[in-house]
Amino acid sequence: MTTSNKPISLAGPVDADVLRTAQLNKFLVEAGLYETVEESARREEVLGELDKIVKDWVKQLTSQRGYTDQMVEEANAVLFTFGSYRLGVHGPGADIDTLCVGPSYVNREEDFFIVLHEILSQTEEVTHLQPVPDAHVPVMKFKFHGISIDLLYASVSLLVVPSDLDISQESVLYEIDEATVRSLTGCRVADQILRLVPNIENFRTTLRCLKHWAKRRGVYSNVTGFLGGVNWALLVARVCQLYPNAVPSMLVSRFFRVFTQWHWPTPVMLCAIEEEELGFPVWDPRKNPRDRTHHMPIITPAYPCMNSSYNVSTSTLRVMIEQFQFGNKICQEIELNKANWSALFEPFNFFEAYKNYLQVDIIAEDDEDLRLWKGWVESRLRQLTLKIERDTYGKLQCHPYPSEYADPSRQCAHCSFFMGLSRKEGVKIQEGQAFDIRGTVDEFRHEINMYMFWKPGMELAVSHVRRKEIPAYVFPEGYRRPRPQRHVNHHQQSDKNATENGTLTGSPDGQLKRKLASAGVDDTEPCRSVKRASVSPVHPKTSSPLSGNVSDDPTSNNQTKVTSNASGGSQNSPSSGNVEQAKCSSSSQASEKSLDSIPSGSKCVKVEAACSGDVTSKQANCISHVSDSTAPAVVVSTTLKRVAEKVVLELVGSESLGGNNADLLQITEKDMGNVLAEKVHFGGNGVSQSGLHEELEV
């Protein structure tokens, strides 16, 4: 499988491009994206100290295992860096991705994650030590003198590791397992990228710019299904290959032009995929059925070539394409002197983009436990997105937001994540249609409960919130900014009434208003105004089983209190307060029938936070505060069943992401002409695929 490295254009910059590049560089400096000379020197010192620690660790193990004194003397480990630090695009406060390469008799499972972990835990300068042994690439995270370190380990088939080891050579891959290959890949890929780009400095400036843009627009996060550092580096490197003489301002603009028109899932590759005789699997959708399911393949350039963006989902790809369109539009305006660079980096208003959200509250006994528990839960949130897409056949779309938030008024250690929820545009609606994701949720809960370092107090609360109920602490100013008055034009008015064969064609707002109007219910539903908090208290000593649904009896008016814990245990106790239930039952029935709600037809339910008897006072204070939150939410707790039964199923769509749904912008520069930008040949069958239009728009 090969890729054409023929450039789209060899044109260099004109005076206007040079000026825009200078303005871009000034903006990046003023944005604080570069660290000081003193900070760079401090990083070098930290790496030197860490290098001494791992060398002493290997010598200690060599001695304990009875090797000769000469072997102990020669025993060695070598530190390599990769990621943003190796590529030269790291900023202040960024972590350092490091790889320790050790001899064959020092293993990862015991020697690295137990022995070295103990050594680091006793080192005064090391804090926030967090092992993640079951990650796709096993890693140990910590801070050394306040600098964040992600440390990987690879045991190579050598008794003595030479100090000048060249890990770019394929001989380093002999007789090692796939986990070790993945650990080595980061360094090997970083070295290859720097070899394959035509101008390293232009590449670095462009990558620094686009990483900052991606963070501002909420699409920089590998763990939540967007793109991480290596993904953005590979995309930028490809654009640098296509425009080898372009300066950063040109490369940023061309980046958005190229990837606005890219034909996903055509892969992005910097070089041909080579298959060696070592037998490691490489990315090849002809042979590997799983590779055919990848939505946005970005292939690493070092053997064994892999898809670095395998975790992108249909929902996150949709979000990124819309953000590429936004960037393309702004860059065109910059080139016409109608906008400046600051417009490109305007933050994305995530909490204005959807009508419905999932709020995931992560609670722990103290800050250290929260750090461990949050890392585990966050690494599994992407799975919830993928499972919901899978089980709803892509009709229910999730937009996980990478940022985390904390309520300063709450006393316990906690943080929150949010997901935007929407119906896929253009799906057909059927009367009473609902998404039953209870099985999906149970599967997700089971995975969360497998955390091997779980401690009492590590709890999870998930709730549904509407846009108007988003808590104030997520907004920078501490309060919600008033929404601008929306004007309805003729096109929007016609969309309000437009349906064809049961397919939604109008705006999401119009769809919801039509549904509410048909049910005779306005936005201020009495039933929905009842506070509904989601809490997962400490594991109770006893629990009674909870049926999966609220009573299906349409005459039932009992309130229900629900509590749940991380193991799935729950309690369901009826309350005697039926007066409030009676007040809202009629409006609840009307609204839920009209809003594609739950299949069980459950009624208005008031759910309160509850604590088991063995909850500490500090934890109880935190949990009770969830009940007092400004976000009335249905109980989901760790099992998340209430999402499936009460609220998520009301979704009728989302608003346009930043209003960037314009058609693909045409490329107008002459040098692109009718050039085939990229052709990927699948050897053997003669089939070729193009990432861009066969004839680019002019």
Side-chain angles (χ1 to χ4, degrees):
M1 189 182 300
T2 62
T3 180
S4 171
N5 285 322
K6 181 180 179 181
I8 290 178
S9 172
L10 297 175
V14 297
D15 291 343
D17 297 316
V18 174
L19 177 60
R20 280 191 288 268
T21 297
Q23 294 170 341
L24 176 60
N25 282 323
K26 180 182 177 182
F27 178 89
L28 298 179
V29 171
E30 292 176 348
L33 301 185
Y34 293 86
E35 67 178 4
T36 64
V37 176
E38 292 76 17
E39 289 173 320
S40 296
R42 187 58 176 160
R43 289 180 183 270
E44 293 293 333
E45 294 175 5
V46 165
L47 288 174
E49 293 184 37
L50 181 59
D51 182 66
K52 183 178 185 306
I53 289 175
V54 297
K55 282 179 166 56
D56 291 343
W57 162 62
V58 169
K59 290 182 182 295
Q60 172 188 320
L61 291 173
T62 306
S63 176
Q64 291 175 351
R65 290 172 183 173
Y67 287 94
T68 64
D69 292 343
Q70 181 179 355
M71 278 287 293
V72 173
E73 180 66 25
E74 294 177 351
N76 189 34
V78 181
L79 270 189
F80 296 91
T81 61
F82 61 101
S84 62
Y85 186 80
R86 175 69 181 93
L87 294 175
V89 295
H90 62 286
D95 59 4
I96 305 178
D97 295 311
T98 56
L99 168 69
C100 175
V101 177
S104 57
Y105 55 85
V106 177
N107 64 54
R108 180 188 304 106
E109 291 76 14
E110 297 178 2
D111 299 329
F112 181 72
F113 279 113
I114 297 178
V115 179
L116 182 59
H117 178 273
E118 181 64 21
I119 293 173
L120 291 173
S121 67
Q122 296 176 1
T123 303
E124 183 179 355
E125 296 82 6
V126 173
T127 59
H128 300 86
L129 184 60
Q130 177 186 1
V132 192
D134 58 344
H136 185 66
V137 180
V139 60
M140 196 136 56
K141 298 172 176 285
F142 55 92
K143 288 189 176 182
F144 200 165
H145 288 293
I147 295 177
S148 296
I149 304 288
D150 284 358
L151 180 62
L152 313 182
Y153 179 71
S155 173
V156 296
S157 57
L158 297 171
L159 287 177
V160 178
V161 179
S163 298
D164 59 350
L165 176 68
D166 183 3
I167 61 172
S168 65
Q169 297 297 317
E170 291 173 4
S171 59
V172 78
L173 302 179
Y174 291 162
E175 299 179 3
I176 62 176
D177 59 23
E178 290 189 22
T180 302
V181 172
R182 290 194 295 269
S183 297
L184 290 165
T185 294
C187 294
R188 291 165 52 81
V189 167
D191 290 345
Q192 275 289 85
I193 289 174
L194 295 177
R195 291 190 186 104
L196 292 172
V197 295
N199 186 305
I200 292 179
E201 287 307 313
N202 287 344
F203 163 76
R204 285 173 170 165
T205 301
T206 306
L207 178 56
R208 194 182 296 269
C209 169
L210 285 164
K211 287 179 63 176
H212 181 56
W213 173 84
K215 292 174 182 177
R216 297 284 287 176
R217 302 300 296 179
V219 291
Y220 187 95
S221 175
N222 186 282
V223 71
T224 53
F226 294 105
L227 302 182
V230 66
N231 311 127
W232 291 104
L234 291 169
L235 292 183
V236 171
R238 185 64 185 129
V239 173
C240 289
Q241 290 180 333
L242 296 175
Y243 299 91
N245 298 322
V247 293
S249 65
M250 300 169 63
L251 291 171
V252 170
S253 176
R254 273 56 171 184
F255 177 93
F256 292 118
R257 291 183 184 180
V258 167
F259 292 115
T260 293
Q261 299 187 67
W262 195 264
H263 287 172
W264 303 109
T266 301
V268 173
M269 301 188 296
L270 301 185
C271 59
I273 294 180
E274 298 180 2
E275 298 188 24
E276 298 297 329
E277 298 179 355
L278 297 179
F280 293 111
V282 299
W283 187 85
D284 190 343
R286 297 169 304 170
K287 299 179 181 179
N288 308 320
R290 187 174 181 179
D291 293 344
R292 299 170 198 161
T293 66
H294 294 168
H295 301 288
M296 192 181 189
I298 303 172
I299 311 304
T300 57
Y303 177 81
C305 299
M306 306 174 185
N307 176 21
S308 63
S309 53
Y310 62 90
N311 54 356
V312 172
S313 68
T314 55
S315 290
T316 52
L317 176 59
R318 169 186 59 88
V319 172
M320 284 187 282
I321 289 175
E322 291 185 348
Q323 292 304 325
F324 290 158
Q325 292 171 352
F326 166 82
N328 192 22
K329 176 183 176 182
I330 297 300
C331 283
Q332 283 198 335
E333 293 176 353
I334 291 174
E335 292 179 343
L336 296 174
N337 295 321
K338 294 181 178 180
N340 52 36
W341 287 110
S342 61
L344 182 64
F345 301 97
E346 282 293 320
F348 173 57
N349 293 323
F350 174 72
F351 294 107
E352 300 294 334
Y354 295 92
K355 285 185 173 294
N356 296 275
Y357 297 84
L358 279 184
Q359 177 176 339
V360 181
D361 291 299
I362 303 168
I363 305 166
E365 194 69 28
D366 53 42
D367 290 340
E368 181 66 16
D369 286 354
L370 176 65
R371 188 173 51 79
L372 299 172
W373 182 230
K374 181 192 72 174
W376 170 255
V377 175
E378 184 181 10
S379 70
R380 295 299 181 269
L381 286 178
R382 180 179 62 88
Q383 293 300 322
L384 178 58
T385 299
L386 296 175
K387 293 177 191 303
I388 290 175
E389 289 179 350
R390 176 197 67 194
D391 294 345
T392 62
Y393 304 99
K395 294 180 180 179
L396 182 61
Q397 296 178 324
C398 303
H399 178 178
Y401 200 58
S403 300
E404 64 179 83
Y405 300 89
D407 185 352
S409 65
R410 291 170 66 173
Q411 299 298 316
C412 67
H414 74 285
C415 67
S416 300
F417 289 92
F418 291 83
M419 288 185 182
L421 300 168
S422 66
R423 231 183 241 282
K424 183 178 181 181
E425 293 184 7
V427 298
K428 295 183 178 180
I429 321 179
Q430 298 176 1
E431 184 69 23
Q433 180 184 6
F435 294 113
D436 187 350
I437 59 172
R438 284 172 291 186
T440 309
V441 164
D442 284 340
E443 182 182 347
F444 173 70
R445 172 183 59 82
H446 178 71
E447 293 182 1
I448 291 293
N449 294 340
M450 294 175 64
Y451 184 49
M452 66 176 63
F453 300 105
W454 185 90
K455 296 180 181 179
M458 291 181 174
E459 305 301 334
L460 184 69
V462 182
S463 56
H464 166 270
V465 291
R466 295 178 178 175
R467 181 169 58 201
K468 61 185 179 182
E469 301 163 349
I470 293 293
Y473 61 80
V474 306
F475 299 100
E477 299 86 358
Y479 61 91
R480 178 188 295 277
R481 292 175 296 178
R483 289 173 62 95
Q485 183 68 29
R486 301 183 66 182
H487 300 282
V488 179
N489 58 31
H490 294 292
H491 177 71
Q492 291 171 327
Q493 188 65 35
S494 63
D495 281 348
K496 271 189 169 186
N497 303 316
T499 57
E500 293 181 3
N501 299 323
T503 302
L504 289 179
T505 58
S507 68
D509 282 344
Q511 297 157 17
L512 179 56
K513 290 176 181 178
R514 287 196 301 277
K515 284 181 171 289
L516 292 174
S518 65
V521 181
D522 59 18
D523 282 341
T524 58
E525 305 168 59
C527 178
R528 298 300 174 185
S529 65
V530 177
K531 287 198 179 293
R532 295 172 291 183
S534 169
V535 178
S536 176
V538 174
H539 295 245
K541 296 179 181 179
T542 61
S543 61
S544 60
L546 170 67
S547 64
N549 296 313
V550 178
S551 173
D552 290 341
D553 182 0
T555 62
S556 172
N557 289 325
N558 289 337
Q559 292 179 346
T560 302
K561 179 187 288 185
V562 179
T563 64
S564 176
N565 53 48
S567 65
S570 55
Q571 295 175 331
N572 182 7
S573 60
S575 168
S576 62
N578 297 330
V579 176
E580 187 173 1
Q581 177 73 13
K583 290 180 180 179
C584 65
S585 61
S586 61
S587 63
S588 173
Q589 295 172 21
S591 62
E592 293 194 7
K593 180 178 180 181
S594 65
L595 290 177
D596 297 335
S597 59
I598 62 175
S600 63
S602 62
K603 305 302 177 287
C604 177
V605 177
K606 179 179 179 181
V607 183
E608 300 172 350
C611 304
S612 62
D614 55 351
V615 180
T616 64
S617 59
K618 180 178 180 182
Q619 186 74 7
N621 182 26
C622 177
I623 293 177
S624 65
H625 194 91
V626 178
S627 180
D628 296 334
S629 170
T630 59
V634 88
V635 158
V636 188
S637 69
T638 313
T639 67
L640 305 179
K641 287 185 177 179
R642 296 302 176 191
V643 173
E645 296 178 357
K646 286 294 292 178
V647 184
V648 170
L649 313 177
E650 300 171 1
L651 304 177
V652 292
S654 69
E655 293 184 357
S656 168
L657 296 183
N660 302 318
N661 287 330
D663 294 334
L664 297 182
L665 299 172
Q666 291 187 344
I667 298 176
T668 56
E669 61 184 315
K670 293 185 297 183
D671 55 65
M672 296 189 70
N674 293 326
V675 178
L676 176 59
E678 175 173 357
K679 182 176 291 184
V680 181
H681 297 277
F682 291 84
N685 59 9
V687 177
S688 64
Q689 293 185 354
S690 173
L692 295 175
H693 297 286
E694 189 73 10
E695 293 187 358
L696 294 175
E697 299 176 10
V698 293

